[in-house]
Amino acid sequence: MLLQKTIKAKITNLTATKERLLEQEYSNYQILIHSIITNEPNCIETYSSINLYSATKQQALRFSKKHKPKPNRKHPMIIRRDKFKTEIQKTKITKFWARIPICNIRGGMWVPIHMSYKHEHLLTLSIRQAKLTKSNNAWLLHITVQKQTNIKIPHNPRILSIDLGEKYMTASVELFNNKVTNHKFYGKEARGIRRHYAWLRKRLGNRKNLGTIKMIECKERRKINEILHEISAQLVNRAAESNSVIVLGELRGIQNAAKGKRMNRVVSNMPFHKLTQYITYKASWARVAVFKVKEHRTSKTCHRCGSIGKRPSQGLFRCPSCGLQYNADLNAAINIAERFSEQCLENGVVLNPPLNRTRACKVSTFQCKPVQPTFS
Ligand SMILES: [Zn+2]
């Protein structure tokens, strides 16, 4: 499986000469793209005469054929991967450097870049593409790298099961050798953020302040996204370290489970879908397998005896048969783990010792195939 990641880097500390050269290359690229897309009569002449690195010219042509770029807009300058290079070299200014091809400069121009240190290892991977943009007078580089990964399914792995819940964003447990351990919650703060912004929106809505509403919507999305990235990273790290496979409940019935208008809004706004995507993507990067099982009744079934229970309140599960009282999300996470383990056995894949108890509901349509990550 081929996976890609994009590193964002900022070009800084440019000397006046380098700044001028970069500006010239970038604006000539814009002129050329504009000339091609608006089909100016002299666009062929522009193509041959404009001061732009030849490989970058070809990229401009390819880009405008493929994407139909819009006029009056700046387009990222696409640098061909064989002409682009990065280097790690500890200097006074920075640790990271990038080489950008510039017209009439032999061997290109080295510019200092700033990027997150945690992405340092990514620079050793093969580069797919680099894009140069300018926004608010800052030069930015988007460097896309790729690597080949094979997902490994360990022999007799732990099962890290994740329930994407209502009260907390995720509840997770580990199942190994018939024992459930490591009950954990993630993303508790997300609900508070949602509520706060919903309240804020309502107040602003009354005052017809639409511009501000838009702005705070962006802010809210950014905050939630940050949490989602954090949760997915933590879960995947945990799985990678403990040699686990990740099992998720297939998302359905969440809307139905939420009663009442207010709860419905909170739930339907929760980006469960995004979280699933982040987990799947990060997992494949770390070579961790992700499986999905049908979520049907996982939140209503008692994990101890298999009877159908009730949820007297949002976060609580109560079983009428065996009297179990349990956190509802954790109960669901345990059911997901056990369902996966059972289904693996049914399919002849031995992941765990069998569970020695009878279960109320079983799902037979199950394919023991890891989920493929989707790119967005
Ligand atoms: Zn029970």
Side-chain angles (χ1 to χ4, degrees):
M1 193 189 306
L2 218 46
L3 291 179
Q4 297 192 344
K5 232 176 208 183
T6 300
I7 311 164
K8 285 178 197 154
K10 204 172 174 180
I11 302 176
T12 51
N13 300 76
L14 283 176
T15 60
T17 317
K18 285 188 177 181
E19 174 82 43
R20 185 177 51 78
L21 285 167
L22 203 61
E23 182 65 54
Q24 187 187 308
E25 195 78 5
Y26 183 74
S27 40
N28 283 347
Y29 182 85
Q30 304 304 330
I31 292 169
L32 180 62
I33 287 244
H34 185 82
S35 161
I36 298 169
I37 54 169
T38 52
N39 210 4
E40 280 173 10
N42 60 344
C43 73
I44 296 167
E45 208 179 292
T46 312
Y47 186 84
S48 52
S49 67
I50 202 159
N51 257 345
L52 193 64
Y53 191 79
S54 59
T56 312
K57 268 188 200 177
Q58 289 162 19
Q59 294 296 319
L61 196 61
R62 278 177 60 185
F63 177 78
S64 42
K65 269 184 189 161
K66 254 203 232 161
H67 296 283
K68 290 258 169 279
K70 293 176 194 117
N72 311 323
R73 230 195 88 183
K74 296 244 163 156
H75 295 281
M77 187 173 105
I78 302 165
I79 304 166
R80 213 166 77 187
R81 61 174 170 220
D82 58 323
K83 301 294 171 194
F84 182 82
K85 217 179 151 188
T86 56
E87 214 169 79
I88 298 170
Q89 212 181 80
K90 251 202 162 141
T91 57
K92 254 189 189 167
I93 312 170
T94 181
K95 197 180 172 186
F96 309 108
W97 292 79
R99 192 186 67 191
I100 295 168
I102 301 279
C103 185
N104 296 331
I105 305 272
R106 268 189 77 176
M109 180 172 83
W110 283 99
V111 293
I113 55 172
H114 278 270
M115 52 177 257
S116 166
Y117 274 68
K118 69 177 183 203
H119 290 150
E120 186 179 337
H121 69 283
L122 296 175
L123 289 182
T124 57
L125 301 172
S126 81
I127 290 168
R128 271 306 293 168
Q129 197 186 51
K131 281 182 187 172
L132 176 74
T133 54
K134 195 180 187 184
S135 127
N136 298 332
N137 274 330
W139 293 104
L140 301 170
L141 269 176
H142 288 221
I143 308 161
T144 307
V145 294
Q146 72 175 19
K147 80 166 176 183
Q148 180 80 39
T149 61
N150 294 311
I151 289 174
K152 56 169 188 193
I153 301 172
H155 180 71
N156 190 24
R158 295 178 86 84
I159 296 172
L160 173 64
S161 88
I162 300 166
D163 177 60
L164 304 174
E166 293 151 33
K167 192 165 183 189
Y168 305 95
M169 277 199 129
T170 58
S172 76
V173 294
E174 282 172 31
L175 178 67
F176 188 62
N177 282 344
N178 218 356
K179 270 199 200 98
V180 179
T181 52
N182 270 330
H183 307 64
K184 270 182 189 149
F185 296 105
Y186 297 88
K188 192 182 171 188
E189 63 277 32
R191 203 157 118 126
I193 291 172
R194 288 269 166 206
R195 278 191 178 162
H196 168 72
Y197 280 97
W199 170 80
L200 212 59
R201 253 200 307 277
K202 208 175 153 196
R203 277 195 53 181
L204 288 165
N206 293 339
R207 295 175 196 170
K208 308 236 180 313
N209 207 339
L210 289 170
T212 321
I213 291 180
K214 266 249 153 74
M215 201 184 73
I216 63 160
E217 248 166 33
C218 281
K219 208 170 168 187
E220 179 184 10
R221 204 174 313 134
R222 259 207 315 278
K223 276 192 176 176
I224 294 287
N225 251 358
E226 220 170 87
I227 296 172
L228 293 177
H229 272 298
E230 226 167 81
I231 297 172
S232 49
Q234 281 175 9
L235 284 164
V236 169
N237 280 347
R238 210 174 113 194
E241 277 163 17
S242 60
N243 241 351
S244 306
V245 295
I246 291 176
V247 182
L248 296 164
E250 214 161 30
L251 304 170
R252 233 175 293 146
I254 286 165
Q255 247 91 6
N256 302 342
K259 285 191 187 101
K261 208 174 153 196
R262 197 179 60 87
M263 237 358 262
N264 223 340
R265 193 203 56 235
V266 173
V267 168
S268 61
N269 279 340
M270 282 233 177
F272 295 103
H273 180 69
K274 247 186 204 162
L275 186 59
T276 312
Q277 270 185 330
Y278 289 173
I279 291 172
T280 318
Y281 182 77
K282 288 192 168 100
S284 29
W285 194 267
R287 302 180 67 201
V288 171
V290 178
F291 295 89
K292 275 184 185 172
V293 294
K294 292 237 163 83
E295 220 176 30
H296 179 65
R297 280 186 170 171
T298 45
S299 60
K300 285 182 192 153
T301 309
C302 169
H303 76 264
R304 194 159 70 185
C305 71
S307 315
I308 299 297
K310 284 210 173 83
R311 295 174 69 161
S313 70
Q314 248 269 293
L316 190 72
F317 173 85
R318 195 177 285 153
C319 175
S321 309
C322 71
L324 176 82
Q325 289 210 38
Y326 214 75
N327 175 286
D329 294 334
L330 282 178
N331 179 58
I334 297 171
N335 280 326
I336 289 170
E338 294 190 339
R339 187 169 290 178
F340 176 74
S341 162
E342 279 167 17
Q343 286 165 347
C344 283
L345 286 174
E346 279 173 18
N347 284 270
V349 183
V350 182
L351 287 174
N352 265 322
L355 292 159
N356 45 7
R357 79 175 85 97
T358 45
R359 307 275 308 172
C361 67
K362 279 193 179 179
V363 182
S364 54
T365 49
F366 172 72
Q367 305 274 299
C368 206
K369 268 188 199 150
V371 185
Q372 293 288 321
T374 47
F375 305 104
S376 54

